[in-house]
Amino acid sequence: MENSVFTISNLNLHYGTFQALNNINIDIEKNKVTALIGPSGCGKSTFLRCLNRMNDQNDKCKISGNVLYHSEDVYQKNYDVISLRTKVGMVFQKPNPFPMTIFDNVAYGPRCQGLKNKNQLYKIVESSLKKAALWEEVKDRLKESAMGLSGGQQQRLCIARAIAMEPEVILMDEPTSALDPIATLKIEELINDLKKNYAIVIVTHSMQQAARISDNTAFFLSGELIEYNQTDVVFTAPKESKTEDYITGRFG
């Protein structure tokens, strides 16, 4: 697909003798939200972590197949993993702000890349916080600790921190599971806004959330990709009986 940022083909992943992903084929499109759904332990988060090579940290992990980012295999030898993680940002299940000021959290990545100019850093911080719909709430508190923010604000700060690196793709691993309904709604509204500029891949346990915010939905079961289609098709006219059983609550 010419609109794809990622093209994944014949992807297999083993943890030791256990096969966690089995022959996954999927395209991730730009300016779209792709939701990964399925019961616990079905391979959603494992697949998500393949996209920015977060599984590298597990010595027992063996991967075969192709994960192409703009037609280049990210698992080829000598591939620049740091560059990949700059372009493919990650937001985790629980907000994980650094124990430093709000400003320093967002400026952390650009500083690590060598940016020292205070005016440029301020512009990046302001722009990133605005894109994360947090600026108005924290603009007078930039020198305060990020740990004093509410859970929902901390998660939006983590999104701002990812945005500050100017990524193309943002991966989200159940980003609202630790949040209350009001904070969840804010994150969902934010995701809807962010897709104008980014490809977003979100793991969610909530089928209602997937239906509300995603353009495409992938249903995983026991390490296999059972169905991948436009979200409205998956939820109203699934092609696979296993998908229908899951979304109607017969199992999971």
Side-chain angles (χ1 to χ4, degrees), residues 101-141:
T101 68
I102 293 166
F103 183 95
D104 288 342
N105 262 273
V106 184
Y108 184 85
R111 278 182 175 144
C112 285
Q113 291 190 317
L115 184 62
K116 292 188 170 69
N117 184 294
K118 285 185 179 174
N119 285 340
Q120 282 179 284
L121 280 171
Y122 187 86
K123 280 180 184 169
I124 289 170
V125 170
E126 181 179 357
S127 167
S128 302
L129 287 168
K130 280 180 175 173
K131 286 176 183 167
L134 190 59
W135 174 251
E136 290 302 322
E137 294 166 50
V138 302
K139 63 184 179 184
D140 301 321
R141 303 168 57 189

Side-chain angles (χ1 to χ4, degrees), residues 121-175:
L121 280 171
Y122 187 86
K123 280 180 184 169
I124 289 170
V125 170
E126 181 179 357
S127 167
S128 302
L129 287 168
K130 280 180 175 173
K131 286 176 183 167
L134 190 59
W135 174 251
E136 290 302 322
E137 294 166 50
V138 302
K139 63 184 179 184
D140 301 321
R141 303 168 57 189
L142 297 178
K143 292 186 176 173
E144 293 178 21
S145 170
M147 311 315 276
L149 296 173
S150 70
Q153 288 173 324
Q154 287 185 4
Q155 194 64 300
R156 278 182 284 147
L157 180 68
C158 293
I159 292 170
R161 193 171 67 198
I163 289 171
M165 299 300 288
E166 297 185 350
E168 184 181 20
V169 183
I170 302 175
L171 309 178
M172 298 183 169
D173 194 355
E174 294 190 59

Side-chain angles (χ1 to χ4, degrees), residues 129-230:
L129 287 168
K130 280 180 175 173
K131 286 176 183 167
L134 190 59
W135 174 251
E136 290 302 322
E137 294 166 50
V138 302
K139 63 184 179 184
D140 301 321
R141 303 168 57 189
L142 297 178
K143 292 186 176 173
E144 293 178 21
S145 170
M147 311 315 276
L149 296 173
S150 70
Q153 288 173 324
Q154 287 185 4
Q155 194 64 300
R156 278 182 284 147
L157 180 68
C158 293
I159 292 170
R161 193 171 67 198
I163 289 171
M165 299 300 288
E166 297 185 350
E168 184 181 20
V169 183
I170 302 175
L171 309 178
M172 298 183 169
D173 194 355
E174 294 190 59
T176 62
S177 65
L179 305 180
D180 63 61
I182 292 169
T184 294
L185 181 61
K186 283 200 171 179
I187 298 284
E188 289 184 1
E189 288 171 349
L190 173 57
I191 289 168
N192 194 43
D193 202 41
L194 288 174
K195 74 175 180 184
K196 295 170 194 163
N197 299 305
Y198 310 94
I200 296 173
V201 187
I202 177 170
V203 169
T204 177
H205 264 300
S206 165
M207 284 180 283
Q208 292 86 355
Q209 182 173 71
R212 282 194 300 266
I213 65 169
S214 70
D215 301 286
N216 300 319
T217 294
F219 170 52
F220 282 78
L221 184 64
S222 304
E224 294 187 4
L225 177 59
I226 304 298
E227 186 160 349
Y228 179 52
N229 211 326
Q230 293 172 341

